[in-house]
Amino acid sequence: MGSELLSDLATEIVIPVCAVVGIIFSLVQWFLVSRVKVSHERQATSPNSKKNGYNDYLIEEEEGLNDHNVVAKCAEIQSAISEGATSFLLTEYQYVGIFMVAFAILIFLFLGSVDGFSTKSHACTYNPQKMCKPALATAIFSTVSFVLGAITSVLSGFLGMKIATYANARTTLEARKGVGKAFITAFRSGAVMGFLLAANGLLVLYITINLFKLYYGDDWEGLFESITGYGLGGSSMALFGRVGGGIYTKAADVGADLVGKLERNIPEDDPRNPAKVVKNWQLFLCVCVGLWAGLIIGFVTEYYTSNTYSPVQDVADSCRTGAATNVIFGLALGYKSVIIPIFAIAISIYVSFSFAAMYGIAVAALGMLSTIATGLAIDAYGPISDNAGGIAEMAGMSHRIRERTDALDAAGNTTAAIGKGFAIGSAALVSLALFGAFVSRAGISTVDVLTPKVFIGLIVGAMLPYWFSAMTMKSVGSAALKMVEEVRRQFNTIPGLMEGLAKPDYATCVKISTDASLKEMIPPGALVMLTPLIVGIFFGVETLSGVLAGALVSGVQIAISASNTGGAWDNAKKYIEAGASEHARTLGPKGSEPHKAAVIGDTIGDPLKDTSGPSLNILIKLMAVESLVFAPFFATHGGLLFKIF
């Protein structure tokens, strides 16, 4: 290693300081958002009250309206959304809590049994001349770090939900003053989530490593084997949260689209609708390579998902001849959007490996993830804007307000797709680095695809993302089917619902989504969590290495395609609805045949972009980190079938 840029002491200071700065910055943004009051009370004015628009009286100034009922309605809707989301998460966490305890016990038993639960030190894997801490210690600390990672992930999910629901109505109310002020509120809210969660994760990990060092000392091998449990805990909770939450929300979206928009010709949010041996400069270049690869992925994603560019406009134009051509064009767009990101990832892998081998790839992944706080911010901005539009519709605000929130929502679809692109690209690099660590820790000298043990794993691993996607897609479809039937029942049996004279039975719809998501999230989660265990125990580390490589190769490409296809379909619909250009106006207005075809495409794309696609990047990372955690056990006791036969 070349000369150090920072001393150990300086590094120990810089890391927690950065985390604290991130937390302070997020709290400042939270304070600014909180100044937008969801209340009809007039705010005290001052000579500077117009600054940023936060002390302005929330009225539709440009239309001369002063409707206190609208503000009260927004507050009521926000409260209902927050209560429903909180109830769902708390129920979901009861299920994942059981899993967390069971899997923590499994980690302790498997890793402890590597050396017969011995309390004696053993020769280090990477330096036999040096003694490392006993396997029992690794089992204990890996279990503790797994639980810490899981708790951090759960807490992050809960905070993210609270921030999003807190900002929804405030964004809606600010839209009354213009798109700019609504955008500032939505993006600041996203920044609260992005910087708070990134800083929180960094600080907890930093504290955990330093506490573990009190025991491990200079035993870096044992320390970092133990700390991998943190990533396993966080990723496993994130998987259940993504799949369960995706099924919950998309079941409602699909039901609202199919019955509300296509059958009853009312908007989906209408209140009547129920639903190390390298130089510093080499590492610097590895970071730059990761950053540039992420930037390229971001630009390509924007090009293929924003309705200001020709690909989405072509998809919208295909709606002239019906839903079938819309689906064909959308799928083709998704497949085509994979090409440049894959080349960018491939080049970044080759260049970073040339500089610093597998460590270089890990550093490139770090470079791509160095913008994680902003990435989370733009990702959170999307659903905040989407829900702001729904609240505007349900509160009975004017068409002009809805146009503004639709513009924010269309931008949010693109920013969300960009965020997912970064996540998928970084997942590929992180998973490859973890794969290298697994191969090294499991004592595999060469991964030879011509070996039958490896090749069968490779072909099965490549199939897993398809199996996983099929399970999540069908889960959304099954839940949506029940939702459609319930919405139809309410329209047909509740007098005055269509005329707006009666309220729908929201509670039943929420229960359908909640029950379906909790039930349907278990099989996909079990597939991801059990595959490395089954393969490692019965077929051994060589076959498992093939499974990880196959899942990585196919999973990245399916994830990019699914996310971009869904985003393009959504924005093609928004393009027709907005009617901002002469071309768009020839396809509209809402309710026209091209618009109905666009709604069908958007409905198909919902589970692709919000459930299956985003979950796949967690799948490939989770399988890799789980295999790394259990690598000592698999290397010692794995491959039972091949030993027998």
Side-chain angles (χ1 to χ4, degrees), residues 297-313 315 330 333-334 337 409-421 559-575 609:
I297 292 172
F299 277 131
V300 171
T301 303
E302 180 184 10
Y303 176 72
Y304 279 104
T305 59
S306 172
N307 57 25
T308 59
Y309 299 106
S310 60
V312 171
Q313 294 177 9
V315 172
L333 179 149
S337 70
D409 188 17
N413 287 330
T414 302
T415 59
I418 293 172
K420 292 166 189 171
I560 295 174
S561 173
S563 295
N564 290 347
T565 295
W569 273 327
D570 196 344
N571 275 348
K573 180 197 69 173
K574 293 284 194 307
Y575 176 76
K609 69 181 176 66

Side-chain angles (χ1 to χ4, degrees), residues 1-6 276-283:
M1 180 70 70
S3 59
E4 294 181 348
L5 296 179
L6 289 175
K276 309 198 174 178
V277 191
V278 291
K279 295 181 174 61
N280 287 328
W281 67 267
Q282 292 175 312
L283 296 181

Side-chain angles (χ1 to χ4, degrees), residues 210-285:
N210 278 277
L211 289 177
F212 283 16
K213 276 180 66 178
L214 296 177
Y215 172 77
Y216 279 102
D218 61 350
D219 180 7
W220 294 101
E221 177 182 320
L223 173 63
F224 285 106
E225 281 188 12
S226 299
I227 212 67
T228 53
Y230 184 83
L232 177 59
S235 296
S236 59
M237 295 299 108
L239 177 70
F240 285 112
R242 171 63 78 176
V243 173
I247 294 170
Y248 177 84
T249 57
K250 293 305 113 181
D253 276 0
V254 171
D257 280 344
L258 292 181
V259 181
K261 287 187 176 180
L262 297 183
E263 295 184 11
R264 300 286 177 164
N265 198 30
I266 63 175
E268 61 181 301
D269 294 311
D270 192 288
R272 294 169 291 173
N273 201 333
K276 309 198 174 178
V277 191
V278 291
K279 295 181 174 61
N280 287 328
W281 67 267
Q282 292 175 312
L283 296 181
F284 172 77
L285 290 179

Side-chain angles (χ1 to χ4, degrees), residues 118-180:
S118 173
T119 57
K120 296 181 180 179
S121 298
H122 61 90
C124 296
T125 304
Y126 304 104
N127 185 2
Q129 306 301 322
K130 186 178 178 182
M131 298 301 290
C132 286
K133 301 296 183 181
L136 182 60
T138 301
I140 294 172
F141 282 98
S142 294
T143 303
V144 172
S145 63
F146 169 81
V147 173
L148 283 174
I151 293 174
T152 303
S153 181
V154 165
L155 180 62
S156 297
F158 189 79
L159 288 174
M161 179 275 296
K162 282 295 185 183
I163 292 166
T165 55
Y166 183 83
N168 294 340
R170 287 167 169 79
T171 302
T172 305
L173 293 174
E174 285 296 270
R176 301 166 70 163
K177 302 175 190 175
V179 175

Side-chain angles (χ1 to χ4, degrees), residues 382-397:
I384 290 172
S385 300
D386 188 8
N387 284 346
I391 292 174
E393 189 79 49
M394 297 185 73
M397 289 186 171

Side-chain angles (χ1 to χ4, degrees), residues 492-549:
N492 293 328
T493 60
I494 299 179
L497 180 57
M498 192 63 192
E499 294 76 19
L501 302 176
K503 283 189 175 182
D505 181 8
Y506 295 118
T508 301
C509 293
V510 171
K511 187 176 187 303
I512 289 174
S513 282
T514 301
D515 292 345
S517 62
L518 295 176
K519 176 185 175 184
E520 300 290 346
M521 74 177 181
I522 296 174
L527 174 67
V528 176
M529 300 300 296
L530 294 180
T531 295
L533 294 177
I534 293 173
V535 174
I537 292 172
F538 292 103
F539 298 93
V541 292
E542 291 182 339
T543 303
L544 182 54
S545 67
V547 169
L548 296 178

